[in-house]
């Protein structure tokens, strides 16, 4: 919502300033999904405002719930008719994380990702990012009586190609007078945008940084993550080393395991060497993500091969998790968001 416009409107209508605070509280804290739910305002005022202002800049077109009920994929419509997807994930009992999109499509075009196939349509505005939280939060409260605890910028798009809007959205999400999440509950995942990593270290040192790595040799990474041609592994290593040195924070390394592509023993050894060239193993958590079907010519490795790769990385001294694939039956898992 355009709060400046709302403020001017209230002033012009001769209404007291506290009405503005009531609306802000209802939107950000109360997660009102419609003006009817802003019951603190008198009904005639609500009616007047509903004709002038949309509460959210995104409109929920669909909410698909996975068979196990642990993932919900939202299809949101934007004012220009474009569509984005956002996923709620129930990773632990009563702990919900929201994976938000930052762009319509994505310019990076990783060949294993459904979003990348579309190319970039446009950046999202700060409101369009924040409102994914407000709309999904309203759904979660109504349907399950629960709250979103974490936000992951890992949906459609490369967040650091839209840095200003992402930064503004993080400020709204962490502002105690608005959404009020702690910075440690926010994670931003990049495909390796080096200038973005450097800005992020200065602007949001308490937020979490994740790197979608997927390969630790330039030739393969150029293919799997084409952004690597612009920011090769040597530059990425330097940026991550500086990030760790200045923030003293652990970095999350995302590694999509594709059978016969990046999951051999020698590739595990190369990953170990590259990470150690950046910093000691204690500064990394490696999230192994078995490839999710996206209609691309890659295969998910068998369970025992995933185990071997994970075991090797543990032997090298790293903390390793194998990501549970929530929501692949609703095409809401990593790499599957296509805005359909
Ligand atoms: S994996 Fe991430 S960076 Fe790569 S195309 Fe998909 S959304 Fe973009």
């Amino acid at each position: 919502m355009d709060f400046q416009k709302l403020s001017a409107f209230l002033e012009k209508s001769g209404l007291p300033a506290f009405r503005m605070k009531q609306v802000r509280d209802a939107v950000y804290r109360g997660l009102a999904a419609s003006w009817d739910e802003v019951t603190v305002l008198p009904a005639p005022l609500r009616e007047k405002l509903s004709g002038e202002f949309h509460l959210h800049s995104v409109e929920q077109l669909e909410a698909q719930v996975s068979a196990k009920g642990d993932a919900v994929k939202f299809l949101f419509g934007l004012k220009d008719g474009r569509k984005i997807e956002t996923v709620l994930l129930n990773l632990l009992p009563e702990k919900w994380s929201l994976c938000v999109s930052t762009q319509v499509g994505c310019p990076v075009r990783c060949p294993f990702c459904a979003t990348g196939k579309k190319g970039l349509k446009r950046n999202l505005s700060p409101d369009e990012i924040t409102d994914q939280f407000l709309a999904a939060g309203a759904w979660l409260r109504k349907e399950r009586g629960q709250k979103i605890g974490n936000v992951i910028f890992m949906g459609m798009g490369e967040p650091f190609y839209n840095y200003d809007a992402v930064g503004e959205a993080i400020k709204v999400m962490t502002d105690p007078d608005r959404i009020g999440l702690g910075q440690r509950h926010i994670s931003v995942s990049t495909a390796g945008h080096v200038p973005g990593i450097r800005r992020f270290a200065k602007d949001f040192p308490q937020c979490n940084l994740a790197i979608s790595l997927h390969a630790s040799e330039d030739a393969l990474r150029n293919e799997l993550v084409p952004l690597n041609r612009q920011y090769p592994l040597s530059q990425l290593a330097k940026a991550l080393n500086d990030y760790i040195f200045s923030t003293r924070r652990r970095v999350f390394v995302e590694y999509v395991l594709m059978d016969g592509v990046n999951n051999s023993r020698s590739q595990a050894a190369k990953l170990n060497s590259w990470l150690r060239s950046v910093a000691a193993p204690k500064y990394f958590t490696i999230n192994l993500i078995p490839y999710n079907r996206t209609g691309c010519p890659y295969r998910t490795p068998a369970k025992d091969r995933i185990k071997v790769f994970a075991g090797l990385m543990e032997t090298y001294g790293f903390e390793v998790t194998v990501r549970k694939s929530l929501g692949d039956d609703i095409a809401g898992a990593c790499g599957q968001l296509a805005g359909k």
Side-chain angles (χ1 to χ4, degrees):
M1 191 197 311
D2 187 338
F3 278 96
Q4 269 179 348
K5 196 172 149 199
L6 176 66
S7 174
F9 180 86
L10 292 175
E11 205 181 316
K12 207 169 127 207
S13 311
L15 289 159
F18 71 82
R19 291 288 184 212
M20 183 69 193
K21 185 173 179 332
Q22 287 177 324
V23 174
R24 283 175 89 105
D25 286 351
V27 170
Y28 288 121
R29 316 293 291 195
L31 298 174
S34 71
W35 282 106
D36 289 341
E37 292 178 22
V38 189
T39 47
V40 69
L41 300 181
L45 178 57
R46 289 201 307 256
E47 201 176 313
K48 205 169 159 189
L49 289 170
S50 67
E52 295 282 334
F53 298 92
H54 288 290
L55 266 194
H56 297 153
S57 59
V58 302
E59 184 194 356
Q60 185 187 312
L61 302 176
E62 217 178 312
Q64 270 181 282
V65 183
S66 68
K68 287 187 196 151
D70 52 5
V72 185
K73 183 172 75 167
F74 296 93
L75 180 67
F76 288 124
L78 308 175
K79 281 191 193 127
D80 62 359
R82 298 201 189 274
K83 296 182 182 98
I84 52 166
E85 291 179 327
T86 307
V87 187
L88 259 178
L89 298 161
N90 191 196
L91 299 168
L92 294 165
E94 305 210 358
K95 293 240 184 287
W96 289 86
S97 295
L98 186 71
C99 182
V100 295
S101 292
T102 55
Q103 298 182 303
V104 184
C106 180
V108 179
R109 290 183 174 269
C110 302
F112 57 87
C113 168
T115 308
K117 280 188 188 165
K118 292 165 68 89
L120 176 70
K121 303 295 180 220
R122 71 169 173 85
N123 281 336
L124 295 183
S125 68
D127 283 352
E128 287 168 334
I129 299 171
T130 314
D131 289 356
Q132 294 170 60
F133 179 98
L134 299 179
W139 184 94
L140 185 59
R141 193 188 53 180
K142 188 164 163 238
E143 299 294 326
R144 307 278 172 91
Q146 291 175 19
K147 289 203 303 199
I148 298 170
N150 296 292
V151 174
I152 323 166
F153 287 77
M154 207 183 277
M156 300 165 79
E158 161 53 50
F160 289 158
Y161 268 140
N162 188 15
Y163 190 97
D164 291 340
V166 166
E168 200 50 46
I170 293 176
K171 283 181 194 157
V172 172
M173 288 178 187
T174 53
D175 179 351
D177 289 333
R178 288 184 277 180
I179 292 173
L181 285 177
Q183 284 204 11
R184 300 245 170 160
H185 293 267
I186 306 255
S187 303
V188 177
S189 175
T190 175
H193 188 281
V194 165
I197 294 169
R198 295 194 180 284
R199 274 181 83 181
F200 189 68
K202 284 201 192 94
D203 296 344
F204 303 105
Q206 295 303 313
C207 291
N208 303 302
L209 176 70
I211 301 291
S212 296
L213 193 64
H214 315 319
S216 44
E217 335 161 58
D218 278 322
L220 181 59
R221 197 161 190 271
N222 284 346
E223 192 189 309
L224 295 180
V225 188
L227 188 63
N228 195 70
R229 293 181 197 145
Q230 203 176 344
Y231 304 112
L233 284 162
S234 55
Q235 283 190 37
L236 181 58
K238 179 85 182 73
L240 290 180
N241 177 275
D242 292 346
Y243 172 87
I244 291 168
F245 184 77
S246 69
T247 63
R248 304 321 261 176
R249 301 296 312 281
R250 181 178 273 264
V251 171
F252 294 85
V253 176
E254 312 291 326
Y255 196 98
V256 171
L257 284 171
M258 290 167 259
D259 198 34
V261 175
N262 64 353
N263 66 333
S264 67
R265 285 173 179 271
S266 69
Q267 280 157 327
K270 280 179 187 151
L271 179 58
N272 169 44
S273 311
W274 186 78
L275 289 174
R276 280 172 183 271
S277 77
V278 176
K282 67 174 181 182
Y283 285 111
F284 299 102
T285 295
I286 302 175
N287 290 323
L288 298 175
I289 307 166
Y291 168 71
N292 293 303
R293 289 161 292 121
T294 55
C296 306
Y298 295 104
R299 292 188 316 266
T300 313
K303 279 195 178 130
D304 55 335
R305 299 202 59 169
I306 297 170
K307 243 177 155 177
V308 168
F309 197 94
L312 282 168
M313 295 316 298
E314 275 169 355
T315 312
Y316 291 133
F318 294 92
E319 184 181 306
V320 181
T321 64
V322 178
R323 178 91 52 87
K324 267 201 293 178
S325 191
L326 304 189
D328 59 347
D329 58 331
I330 51 168
C334 281
Q336 292 185 320
L337 303 185
K340 281 188 191 155

